[in-house]
Amino acid sequence: MSDQWYLDTVFYELYLRAFQDSNGDGHGDFGGAIERLDYIKSLGVECIWILPHYPSPLKDDGYDVADYMGVHPDYGTLDDFKAFVAAAHQRGLRVIIDLVMNHCSDQHPWFQAARQDRNSPYHDYFVWSDTGQEYADTRIIFLDTEKSNWTYDEAAGRYFWHRFYSSQPDLNYDNPAIHEEMFNIIRFWLDTGVDGFRADAVPYLYEREGTNCENLPETHVFLKKVRRLIDEEYPGRVLIAEANQWPEDLLPYFGNGDEFQICFHFPIMPRLYMALKQADKTPIVDILARTPAIPEGCQWMTFLRNHDELTLEMVTPEERQWMWQQYAPKPRMRLNLGIRRRLAPLLDNHPDRWLLLNALHLSLPGTPIIYYGDEIGMGDDIWLPDRHGCRTPMQWNAEHQAGFSTAEETYFPVISDPVFGYQFVNVALQEMNEDSYLWRTRKLIKTRQHAAALRRGTMEIIPTRNPAILVYWRVLPDERVLCLYNLSMHPQPLGGSLSGIFHDLLHPGKRSITLSPDMELPGYATHWLEMAQL
Ligand code: GLC
């Protein structure tokens, strides 16, 4: 197996609490997830990213880690974790876990010791101030809840630094002991057999006066050490960066191919929604032009949705207002600088829009990741707090608790509204309908996995006079696929100089398509085309 397996793999983001409850306590767990691995495999994805599984008071749903080497009791034991990884591997599925290096929970023994005794070695595990005035140029990320990145701790009699909730004190990377702790944590989990990490919130590890405390050179020095450890001791495992930054600021996270293998491409995501709503490809074409070339063996990770709000940090203030008006008309749909809605509701549950956006996603350069539940078009519950409305139980069937749990009450209610309720949107129903979102997901992934050009090919955008028509080649020396989308709901002239006879990979049984500059494409037309005669 190649060490660069992640270049060809479709990933699946799994929220354990939501997936399957095996012991009837209303919370999903590793035992349940094992039961559902065959389903995951059936999608055609080949790697699962699980959201944080660590012991935690759950003030940030597990991103507030209270023990880096344990498993949250809701999810099971360390043996259950290992059984899950083994069962996934048996099926040819890889598993990566979340690595939360920037901060821990205020319930972590390190912080408890740190606040109680300034002379404790753990005091220096955190970032303290007597005034709470330092690093004033640093933005606040959780704008809706936090007023400052400093919070006063009564026991310590000092302020501590935190980039997220005040229950998540930042770790002090100026203290080499933290590096050693992280290296041990990394080794501990790699020894269980996991295939890598999605590294959470990496731009914020260090603080320096007079900067915005993001993307600092010291951060890259540390991250390169993490990569070196992995390459030397655990070759073939992958490191993925969550850095919500502009493409030019992301480039250093790849280093010279000696830092992260993969970085999430945050800026392209909102522009896919923008382009679709405006029926104008310009936002996509512009951000791709602004995306630099990356070192050999590195890759972008693309996504439509994830467990967080649809972030609008990487757009202009005007674009953000427009996105909110278009996609989050009700105030409860908004959170911080984003939109807390799921994919299908964002697309008004429109099957053609859904197909177009998913096909576009799966044909862009990069490694795609799909958020659990979006493959069946699950809905959201904007009345739940924080980002929980997009983290509701998986809808397996129309039975008790959507087949997720036998409990009377689940951690959050199953969606049961008249459009997205589990009675109408569930795996069992969609299994029986080959035109369902579920089968379309399978087909898109399968087609992508058979067409190397869609995974590895370079991208050549073809200029067209019509802004609604997005068309590009994905090109390898011996294979090329033409991706063609009409972003408008109305029929549109192709408007380019394209011509020729093509087969549609998405509709292999159908007659071939003849392209000509003056032809008209139906609204939301979506094609992956191969030349009939080369
Ligand atoms: C990342 C996670 C998010 C979490 C935050 C703090 O952005 O995706 O869910 O709240 O980090 O750990």
Side-chain angles (χ1 to χ4, degrees):
M1 276 281 199
S2 147
D3 277 359
Q4 297 189 348
W5 54 271
Y6 52 85
L7 297 177
D8 290 309
T9 301
V10 179
F11 282 58
Y12 189 72
E13 180 183 352
L14 177 68
Y15 178 43
L16 282 164
R17 192 174 301 279
F19 216 55
Q20 183 67 52
D21 170 14
S22 70
N23 61 358
D25 68 354
H27 299 264
D29 44 42
F30 280 113
I34 291 173
E35 291 168 26
R36 296 299 187 181
L37 282 171
D38 289 333
Y39 166 80
I40 297 178
K41 175 84 181 168
S42 82
L43 299 174
V45 303
E46 287 166 318
C47 185
I48 303 169
W49 157 30
I50 53 171
L51 293 178
H53 61 277
Y54 308 95
S56 162
L58 304 178
K59 296 278 169 51
D60 186 9
D61 218 351
Y63 283 98
D64 45 337
V65 178
D67 172 4
Y68 281 100
M69 297 197 187
V71 169
H72 195 288
D74 288 348
Y75 294 150
T77 63
L78 190 58
D79 281 342
D80 296 329
F81 174 93
K82 289 179 183 166
F84 172 77
V85 174
H89 284 171
Q90 265 165 22
R91 290 164 174 82
L93 292 165
R94 289 187 160 87
V95 179
I96 65 165
I97 61 173
D98 235 294
L99 181 64
V100 191
M101 293 192 285
N102 180 65
H103 46 267
C104 63
S105 161
D106 59 4
Q107 302 305 307
H108 195 292
W110 295 341
F111 191 70
Q112 289 302 322
R115 58 195 293 249
Q116 264 132 35
D117 179 3
R118 285 195 193 195
N119 296 317
S120 151
Y122 293 111
H123 192 72
D124 201 29
Y125 272 34
F126 298 91
V127 181
W128 299 97
S129 158
D130 291 322
T131 61
Q133 303 296 318
E134 292 83 350
Y135 315 132
D137 299 333
T138 310
R139 73 188 167 117
I140 295 170
I141 296 169
F142 285 166
L143 277 168
D144 288 2
T145 42
E146 303 304 315
K147 293 197 172 50
S148 166
N149 289 316
W150 289 110
T151 289
Y152 188 73
D153 183 71
E154 292 287 344
R158 306 179 89 178
Y159 295 85
F160 64 91
W161 179 252
H162 56 89
R163 291 305 305 272
F164 295 92
Y165 288 126
S166 58
S167 49
Q168 291 164 298
D170 272 35
L171 293 164
N172 175 18
Y173 277 82
D174 277 321
N175 181 354
I178 288 294
H179 298 204
E180 289 308 316
E181 295 280 10
M182 281 304 148
F183 296 152
N184 287 337
I185 291 161
I186 288 166
R187 289 192 181 100
F188 176 83
W189 289 107
L190 291 176
D191 283 338
T192 68
V194 296
D195 299 283
F197 301 102
R198 176 264 193 190
D200 181 68
V202 286
Y204 319 121
L205 301 186
Y206 281 84
E207 300 74 34
R208 290 291 178 262
E209 204 55 74
T211 74
N212 66 358
C213 296
E214 301 191 5
N215 313 321
L216 295 175
E218 293 85 345
T219 295
H220 291 292
V221 172
F222 170 72
L223 292 170
K224 284 192 170 65
K225 288 185 188 160
V226 173
R227 174 64 184 274
R228 198 180 322 134
L229 182 162
I230 291 180
D231 281 355
E232 285 175 6
E233 299 176 34
Y234 303 90
R237 319 287 176 101
V238 74
L239 255 189
I240 304 179
E242 190 225 11
N244 190 350
Q245 304 285 331
W246 291 102
E248 54 274 21
D249 294 326
L250 280 166
L251 192 56
Y253 287 90
F254 293 113
N256 293 317
D258 57 356
E259 208 167 310
F260 286 93
Q261 288 105 323
I262 298 188
C263 292
F264 282 97
H265 197 314
F266 276 92
I268 199 168
M269 182 273 299
R271 288 171 177 80
L272 302 176
Y273 292 91
M274 229 185 269
L276 186 61
K277 201 72 153 199
Q278 294 171 346
D280 185 344
K281 65 189 164 191
T282 312
I284 300 175
V285 174
D286 286 355
I287 200 69
L288 287 170
R290 196 177 158 178
T291 299
I294 54 180
E296 163 65 25
C298 290
Q299 183 68 297
W300 298 106
M301 181 161 266
T302 58
F303 61 104
L304 295 175
R305 286 295 293 113
N306 62 20
H307 63 292
D308 288 324
E309 69 275 27
L310 187 166
T311 164
L312 299 174
E313 280 165 66
M314 294 297 126
V315 299
T316 65
E318 296 74 30
E319 288 169 332
R320 188 176 306 134
Q321 287 304 330
W322 187 87
M323 282 290 288
W324 269 331
Q325 278 161 17
Q326 297 294 322
Y327 283 110
K330 296 185 186 156
R332 283 222 46 112
M333 295 173 171
R334 303 176 188 183
L335 181 71
N336 299 315
L337 290 185
I339 298 173
R340 49 172 161 194
R341 299 184 72 195
R342 261 198 186 262
L343 177 63
L346 285 165
L347 303 180
D348 302 315
N349 206 19
H350 191 299
D352 296 342
R353 257 178 235 164
W354 187 97
L355 182 66
L356 189 154
L357 202 62
N358 279 281
L360 177 55
H361 175 214
L362 285 161
S363 63
L364 286 172
T367 289
I369 180 157
I370 295 171
Y371 183 49
Y372 91 92
D374 282 347
E375 76 276 17
I376 56 166
M378 259 171 63
D380 48 50
D381 181 351
I382 58 170
W383 299 103
L384 295 178
D386 201 346
R387 290 148 289 176
H388 296 291
C390 297
R391 302 177 185 177
T392 59
M394 180 70 181
Q395 296 171 197
W396 296 106
N397 55 45
E399 290 157 33
H400 178 77
Q401 305 288 23
F404 158 71
S405 171
T406 55
E408 280 317 310
E409 217 174 302
T410 56
Y411 67 97
F412 276 126
V414 172
I415 303 263
S416 61
D417 68 51
V419 178
F420 296 104
Y422 69 98
Q423 304 91 331
F424 322 107
V425 175
N426 64 58
V427 172
L429 266 181
Q430 295 195 16
E431 284 287 4
M432 296 185 292
N433 172 6
E434 293 230 348
D435 209 25
S436 60
Y437 289 148
L438 176 58
W439 277 102
R440 287 178 172 199
T441 303
R442 287 179 176 143
K443 180 163 198 180
L444 287 170
I445 294 176
K446 200 170 161 194
T447 309
R448 181 183 192 278
Q449 296 313 83
H450 278 111
L454 286 173
R455 307 192 305 273
R456 299 261 191 148
T458 53
M459 184 188 208
E460 290 174 13
I461 299 182
I462 314 261
T464 61
R465 286 187 304 280
N466 186 343
I469 303 295
L470 173 62
V471 43
Y472 51 86
W473 285 105
R474 298 293 311 278
V475 184
L476 283 178
D478 52 357
E479 185 185 317
R480 43 173 52 211
V481 177
L482 186 74
C483 303
L484 175 58
Y485 306 104
N486 175 8
L487 299 169
S488 165
M489 72 173 93
H490 305 294
Q492 293 285 330
L494 179 58
S497 55
L498 278 168
S499 54
I501 303 174
F502 294 84
H503 293 307
D504 193 343
L505 299 178
L506 293 176
H507 304 282
K510 284 212 174 157
R511 277 196 302 138
S512 51
I513 299 181
T514 308
L515 295 184
S516 61
D518 52 355
M519 79 180 288
E520 221 178 42
L521 290 162
Y524 297 131
T526 296
H527 300 286
W528 290 351
L529 302 171
E530 232 172 20
M531 282 231 134
Q533 303 102 7
L534 271 179

